[in-house]
Amino acid sequence: MSNEKIIVNSWNEWDPLKHVIVGKADGTCIPAPEPALDAKVPEDSDMRGEILEATMSYRCRWFEYLCYRPLLKKYYNSDPNMRHESAPKPRLTDADYRKDYLSDKIGIQKRLEWTEKKYFVTTEEEPLFDAADVLRFGKDLVVQHGFTTNLKGIDWLKRHYKDHRVHAVNFPGDPYPIHIDATFTPIKEGLIINNPQRRLPKEQRKLFENNGWEIVDSAQPAHNEPPPLCYSSTWLSMNVLVLDSKTVCVEKSEIYQAEQLDKLGMEVLPIELRDAYAFGGGLHCCTADVYREGELKDYFPKQ
Ligand code: NVA
């Protein structure tokens, strides 16, 4: 790659992927306890020419942006149109978190009620967002409001991406709404798979349905529980990496997800990654687009 000309450009989740950052687990460690503990990659989000460093909402990830800096420097030097942006680093004081929200004493029923009411572990003290709560659909950005992204974070994105339309979504069936990419996964233009335990509420489906997009229930995971030390649920089954609108990488053991995507007309590439789940998630979590061929499009003209 060293002599190759690098261009930073990626408008959506499915155009032909030509350059991607793949995370590696060197130097990782188990984070110390904190009020909203969880840990995942990636932390950056990119649009044409711009890579934006997310605020992040866990203390253990506050310095994570430094790991990306050598790569971003390289892209900046190579691509004269690249803009390197950084959202304001949050203070992450105790005021950012609801005390004892994650206590074991709180049952699953109560948690589901809280998600329904949009009452999350993070407060509205300051803008917070993780890149993995954001999905890019050309002119539209779909952002999960949950533990890792608050309304102030979504508002910050709206003000920053003035030429885009930013939509807040939430998924009431998820007791721990952390990152959108095991819940709602665009596969290609017009097709999304949605976690059947975390369906997008009727009102929020309109944007997709009115513009001819199909939202189908994803297949069941192949496993009954996540591997040891993994911070995520078994729904990493749907944490796939789309290479182009005909080709998708699926974790090798996720045979039901692979079968469903095959039936939906995709060529499925099985990739063994389950042993790496403990280091931050699945195929989508561990990767960050740098260049996808394709231009900015409006997939939702009917707003
Ligand atoms: N929080 C999600 C994983 C997101 C990659 C889950 O555990 O299902």
Side-chain angles (χ1 to χ4, degrees):
M1 191 179 88
S2 51
N3 297 324
E4 210 183 299
K5 179 105 187 70
I6 299 167
I7 303 173
V8 175
N9 179 75
S10 179
W11 291 111
N12 60 35
E13 310 276 332
W14 59 86
D15 273 345
L17 182 63
K18 300 293 172 182
H19 185 162
V20 65
I21 300 170
V22 179
K24 54 183 182 182
D26 298 9
T28 51
C29 54
I30 306 283
E34 60 171 291
L37 180 68
D38 206 297
K40 295 183 189 70
V41 286
E43 74 141 22
D44 297 321
S45 170
D46 59 282
M47 311 278 283
R48 178 165 44 203
E50 174 174 327
I51 294 188
L52 170 67
E53 290 170 0
T55 67
M56 308 307 287
S57 44
Y58 295 141
R59 290 171 180 164
C60 60
R61 302 190 72 169
W62 206 91
F63 293 104
E64 196 175 293
Y65 71 102
L66 291 173
C67 302
Y68 287 81
R69 282 287 171 94
L71 275 178
L72 299 200
K73 179 176 151 187
K74 192 163 151 185
Y75 302 158
Y76 193 81
N77 290 341
S78 172
D79 179 353
N81 293 315
M82 187 225 173
R83 282 170 298 114
H84 180 178
E85 299 271 357
S86 182
K89 290 300 278 177
R91 292 171 69 220
L92 299 187
T93 65
D94 287 349
D96 277 295
Y97 309 103
R98 295 204 160 85
K99 201 165 177 297
D100 295 330
Y101 184 100
L102 293 181
S103 159
D104 287 341
K105 294 191 194 101
I106 295 151
I108 203 83
Q109 203 45 46
K110 182 54 102 197
R111 294 208 176 282
L112 288 170
E113 279 167 32
W114 282 354
T115 301
E116 177 106 43
K117 287 200 296 211
K118 301 180 195 165
Y119 174 78
F120 301 120
V121 65
T122 40
T123 65
E124 293 294 336
E125 172 71 10
E126 56 186 340
L128 298 175
F129 65 93
D130 279 13
D133 280 317
V134 183
L135 292 173
R136 293 156 303 141
F137 294 80
K139 268 192 95 65
D140 293 83
L141 302 177
V142 172
V143 188
Q144 173 172 249
H145 175 206
F147 282 19
T148 34
T149 295
N150 63 11
L151 290 174
K152 278 214 167 72
I154 297 175
D155 182 58
W156 190 92
L157 286 166
K158 274 187 188 161
R159 296 193 206 185
H160 183 75
Y161 290 120
K162 282 193 181 333
D163 296 333
H164 290 262
R165 299 174 295 232
V166 177
H167 310 269
V169 290
N170 77 302
F171 300 91
D174 188 356
Y176 300 94
I178 297 161
H179 299 173
I180 198 167
D181 48 354
T183 297
F184 201 66
T185 305
I187 300 298
K188 58 182 170 183
E189 183 172 347
L191 179 66
I192 295 167
I193 55 172
N194 186 188
N195 186 319
Q197 287 180 3
R198 309 172 186 169
R199 291 201 179 100
L200 186 66
K202 198 160 177 262
E203 195 54 32
Q204 297 174 45
R205 299 174 92 89
K206 283 188 183 152
L207 175 71
F208 301 93
E209 290 167 356
N210 292 346
N211 288 282
W213 281 64
E214 200 183 352
I215 302 176
V216 299
D217 280 354
S218 73
Q220 288 295 312
H223 303 273
N224 293 326
E225 52 183 37
L229 299 179
C230 175
Y231 290 90
S232 303
S233 74
T234 54
W235 291 99
L236 283 183
S237 53
M238 39 180 312
N239 192 267
V240 301
L241 179 67
V242 176
L243 297 189
D244 60 43
S245 52
K246 290 193 171 72
T247 322
V248 59
C249 298
V250 178
E251 206 291 320
K252 195 173 173 190
S253 64
E254 295 296 347
I255 46 176
Y256 306 123
Q257 191 53 80
E259 187 185 14
Q260 178 188 37
L261 289 168
D262 179 69
K263 284 193 179 136
L264 287 166
M266 301 293 287
E267 185 187 344
V268 176
L269 305 180
I271 308 288
E272 211 172 331
L273 196 78
R274 196 169 153 80
D275 287 347
Y277 280 7
F279 298 105
L283 289 153
H284 193 264
C285 300
C286 294
T287 51
D289 297 1
V290 176
Y291 183 65
R292 284 188 189 265
E293 276 173 7
E295 287 302 314
L296 173 63
K297 284 195 195 160
D298 185 353
Y299 299 101
F300 305 111
K302 293 187 193 144
Q303 291 283 312

